[in-house]
Amino acid sequence: VQITSEEGMAGTPQLSTDRSLLAYSQVSTGQLSQIRVQRYQQPSAASVVDGISLELAGHHLAALNWQPGRPVLLVQATAKESGACSYRLYDFSAYPAYQQRTLDAPCSFSMRVRAILSADGQMLYRPLRPADGQSEQLIQHDLATGQQQVLINSQGTAMGLLDVTLSPDGQQLAYVRLDSSKAGYIYLYDLQKQEQIQLADFSQTGPILQLAFSLTGQHLYGMNGAELVQLRLSDRRVLKWPLPQGFSGGELSLLDAQTAVVSEVSVRLSSRSGSMVVAELKD
């Protein structure tokens, strides 16, 4: 079911932890990307939902993630001319009013890898592009002390990290990476043990560009364009379901065990003209 109606590309849908607010990035041809935030309601084909737009002069904005348990949205702002970027927090506790502040954390421009804010708001998991410009690493950045630690080092690979996401309990990171032969793999990283296991590769799942944990943390979901893919963490079993005819999916945010908010942007960004919408995918 279609949710957005604006002309252009609507992508990176993000549902707040309590599923009350939906944020997504919106860009039209020749314009700076902005972020739309609206109350989430079960959509219908004829529904019109009011929302607010976040804009910053001379900057592209991208919605990254909601702080777990709080209506605080982590946003990346990238200057159109210089490419300089910063992380910002938008607090919607009094929606539609909001407060914003800039995080004191380095920001390296990346079209692929999201930064993630922990539930306590103290830890930022962010991509880092080394000076040699080759592929992203993943940094654990303590915002209170400024201490940084490299969690995932993808140097020497073709593209490195494609996506990373945090489990509902905040104990595990799941991520997608490409190696030097451009083969894709999905990993699970335990933050307490600082250990990782390989869950699957693209020969099993197809090319997954973005991951989402189920609300229980027992499954990972992704879309490879033509299929919705479920990866069961207990035994690493991969299940697939075809997407509706005519829809090619790339990004998703889980609403409940049977419903997701999804977009096409990751898969068909370069091959689709006209409008791309955010939609609700049921059953």
Side-chain angles (χ1 to χ4, degrees):
V1 179
Q2 180 174 331
I3 296 174
T4 56
S5 59
E6 299 93 338
E7 288 296 314
M9 294 184 295
T12 58
Q14 300 287 340
L15 282 164
S16 59
T17 305
D18 65 1
R19 280 35 193 177
S20 66
L21 294 174
L22 171 66
Y24 60 91
S25 302
Q26 176 72 37
V27 60
S28 298
T29 304
Q31 297 182 2
L32 293 170
S33 57
Q34 57 184 255
I35 295 172
R36 294 279 296 168
V37 180
Q38 63 191 47
R39 290 198 184 279
Y40 189 78
Q41 61 186 33
Q42 296 297 316
S44 66
S47 66
V48 177
V49 180
D50 292 328
I52 61 174
S53 293
L54 306 180
E55 302 177 33
L56 185 63
H59 288 73
H60 293 286
L61 298 184
L64 300 180
N65 88 301
W66 290 94
Q67 182 177 345
R70 295 197 60 202
V72 175
L73 183 66
L74 177 63
V75 170
Q76 181 172 308
T78 305
K80 180 181 180 181
E81 299 299 329
S82 66
C85 68
S86 62
Y87 296 118
R88 295 163 184 261
L89 293 179
Y90 287 78
D91 189 331
F92 288 96
S93 298
Y95 179 90
Y98 61 87
Q99 295 180 325
Q100 69 159 308
R101 67 182 178 93
T102 302
L103 289 184
D104 183 20
C107 178
S108 59
F109 173 68
S110 171
M111 286 295 291
R112 298 187 303 275
V113 186
R114 295 175 284 178
I116 301 172
L117 194 65
S118 64
D120 61 9
Q122 179 174 323
M123 207 67 68
L124 182 70
Y125 303 100
R126 63 177 182 84
L128 172 68
R129 181 167 293 178
D132 61 11
Q134 298 296 314
S135 69
E136 279 84 11
Q137 300 173 352
L138 187 71
I139 301 294
Q140 178 179 276
H141 186 121
D142 190 318
L143 296 172
T145 65
Q147 292 184 331
Q148 302 176 44
Q149 177 184 354
V150 177
L151 297 181
I152 300 168
N153 189 341
S154 292
Q155 285 184 297
T157 64
M159 293 179 67
L161 297 176
L162 294 182
D163 187 51
V164 62
T165 190
L166 185 66
S167 63
D169 63 7
Q171 301 300 309
Q172 297 174 310
L173 291 166
Y175 70 94
V176 185
R177 61 167 283 183
L178 293 184
D179 70 9
S180 56
S181 64
K182 297 187 179 180
Y185 299 91
I186 299 172
Y187 292 89
L188 191 67
Y189 184 94
D190 188 303
L191 289 165
Q192 291 188 326
K193 297 178 181 178
Q194 295 190 341
E195 296 175 351
Q196 69 179 12
I197 57 172
Q198 181 182 313
L199 296 173
D201 60 50
F202 281 6
S203 69
Q204 300 166 277
T205 65
I208 302 293
L209 301 185
Q210 189 188 72
L211 295 170
F213 274 97
S214 65
L215 304 189
T216 63
Q218 296 176 339
H219 303 89
L220 280 170
Y221 285 91
M223 293 189 289
N224 62 18
E227 299 166 315
L228 174 69
V229 180
Q230 181 196 67
L231 179 55
R232 194 162 65 187
L233 300 186
S234 60
D235 57 7
R236 309 183 199 180
R237 184 183 180 191
V238 176
L239 299 174
K240 299 178 182 179
W241 296 272
L243 292 174
Q245 181 108 22
F247 183 85
S248 184
E251 302 170 328
L252 75 164
S253 185
L254 274 293
L255 179 65
D256 56 41
Q258 297 294 324
T259 315
V261 176
V262 303
S263 78
E264 302 176 274
V265 170
S266 287
V267 175
R268 302 184 64 180
L269 184 60
S270 62
S271 62
R272 173 82 175 267
S273 59
S275 294
M276 291 191 202
V277 301
V278 169
E280 185 181 80
L281 181 67
K282 298 183 179 182
D283 303 319

